[in-house]
Amino acid sequence: MPPFVVRFRSNVPSLTPDFLMLYGEYELADMNGFADFHVEIRYVPNLKRLFDPEIRFYFDGMPSFSVLPAQQSFPTLEWGLNWCVAAHSHHYLVVHAAVLERNGFALIMPAPPGSGKSTLCAALMMNGWRLMSDELTLYDRNTGHIYGHPRPVSLKNRSIDVISSAFPDSIMTTPVMTESKGMVALLKPPESAVVSATVPAKPRWLVLPKYEQGTEARFERQGSARTFALIAEQSFNYDLLGLDGFNAVGSLVDQCICAKFTYSDLDEAMSLFQNIEAHLHEVASATP
């Protein structure tokens, strides 16, 4: 799972079909080689396993999350992998944001839950943008480039039906109900995203998406200072990096055209993103 090597084990057989379906095209690492993360999904050894089995995520042999129903095994694996990267990859500035690439340039979309970020990310991915990550933007503080961590896109609730209907050939797991996020399904990224996983991109567009029912799709100007504050807030290690974190956020924002994007209709949204450079140049040139 570039740029990281993960050693994964599990005694939960139901994980195997989904894992092979979504990760079957990823390169296998040397079993005896170095791994960045050692993770497991294991059954909880209690009497409930006979009729209502439960599982837990382990990192380096230690339990790292709460006990959850076994049917949530695959979402738990994805959440656990996100936590591994966010908590231990301090050679990057790690931002909670989707990131996609086109023509060598990165589109970064930070947004809180419920903003429509993952829906928009999935639609862009299915319309030719290269997925770099649905959840984690990795900004290299030395080179000023974005590195990808392409893994399945996490779709929730209504987004599952929206993407399934818009892209009937898409491949995703059977939706499962979770207590924290509602209904969840994982969408497989294209093989091209996996093959190009190690290819970095130059930051170009920093867009804050927001789903708003019944509204016309539009870009609006977003000030650099406000964007800086949002990126710092959405970064997992901004405070930990200290002055380096401050400089990294400033460098990232300075390289990008910053804007807000409001939408309700995916077709309208895709039409605007097809000409994103022209639209955002117009937004950036507008009088405040």
Side-chain angles (χ1 to χ4, degrees), residues 220-222 256-259 278-288:
E220 298 174 273
R221 186 169 183 171
Q222 172 79 4
C256 293
I257 301 172
C258 304
H279 288 299
L280 290 194
H281 179 74
E282 182 179 341
V283 166
S285 303
T287 302

Side-chain angles (χ1 to χ4, degrees), residues 4 6 18 22 81 89 125 128 150-151 156 172 175 188 211 222 225 258 279:
F4 307 102
V6 178
D18 284 342
L22 297 184
L81 290 174
S89 303
M125 177 184 81
R151 301 205 335 268
K156 306 170 193 71
M172 66 177 71
K188 182 179 181 178
Y211 175 83
Q222 172 79 4
C258 304
H279 288 299

Side-chain angles (χ1 to χ4, degrees), residues 93 95 110 206 208 222-235 238-239 242-254 256 258-259:
L93 175 75
V95 183
L206 224 166
L208 284 57
Q222 172 79 4
S224 295
R226 184 168 295 182
T227 305
F228 182 106
L230 177 69
I231 295 297
E233 177 186 323
Q234 292 295 314
S235 170
Y238 172 77
D239 293 335
L243 180 60
D244 285 343
F246 178 87
N247 290 334
V249 173
S251 173
L252 176 59
V253 172
D254 285 346
C256 293
C258 304

Side-chain angles (χ1 to χ4, degrees), residues 120 207-221 259-265 268-273 279-280 283:
L120 190 57
V207 175
L208 284 57
K210 182 182 179 183
Y211 175 83
E212 192 172 292
Q213 188 171 0
T215 192
E216 183 179 354
R218 65 186 185 277
F219 287 105
E220 298 174 273
R221 186 169 183 171
K260 295 182 288 186
F261 181 69
T262 308
Y263 78 102
S264 63
D265 183 83
E268 283 187 7
M270 293 305 100
S271 177
L272 289 185
F273 273 93
H279 288 299
L280 290 194
V283 166

Side-chain angles (χ1 to χ4, degrees), residues 142-156:
N142 296 317
T143 66
H145 286 82
I146 300 292
Y147 282 83
H149 184 46
R151 301 205 335 268
V153 176
S154 178
L155 299 175
K156 306 170 193 71

Side-chain angles (χ1 to χ4, degrees), residues 146-206:
I146 300 292
Y147 282 83
H149 184 46
R151 301 205 335 268
V153 176
S154 178
L155 299 175
K156 306 170 193 71
N157 303 310
R158 184 172 175 270
S159 294
I160 299 170
D161 290 336
V162 169
I163 296 299
S164 295
S165 298
F167 307 99
D169 293 333
S170 60
I171 299 171
M172 66 177 71
T173 60
T174 301
V176 298
M177 180 59 70
T178 69
E179 289 185 7
S180 60
K181 299 180 183 292
M183 198 70 74
V184 174
L186 282 304
L187 173 66
K188 182 179 181 178
E191 184 180 1
S192 57
V194 177
V195 171
S196 304
T198 60
V199 180
K202 185 175 176 59
R204 178 61 179 166
W205 308 287
L206 224 166

Side-chain angles (χ1 to χ4, degrees), residues 8 20 51 83 125 129 132 134 137 148 201 205-207 244:
F8 171 59
L20 292 177
F51 55 92
W83 173 80
M125 177 184 81
W129 288 73
M132 299 185 77
D134 170 46
T137 293
W205 308 287
L206 224 166
V207 175
D244 285 343

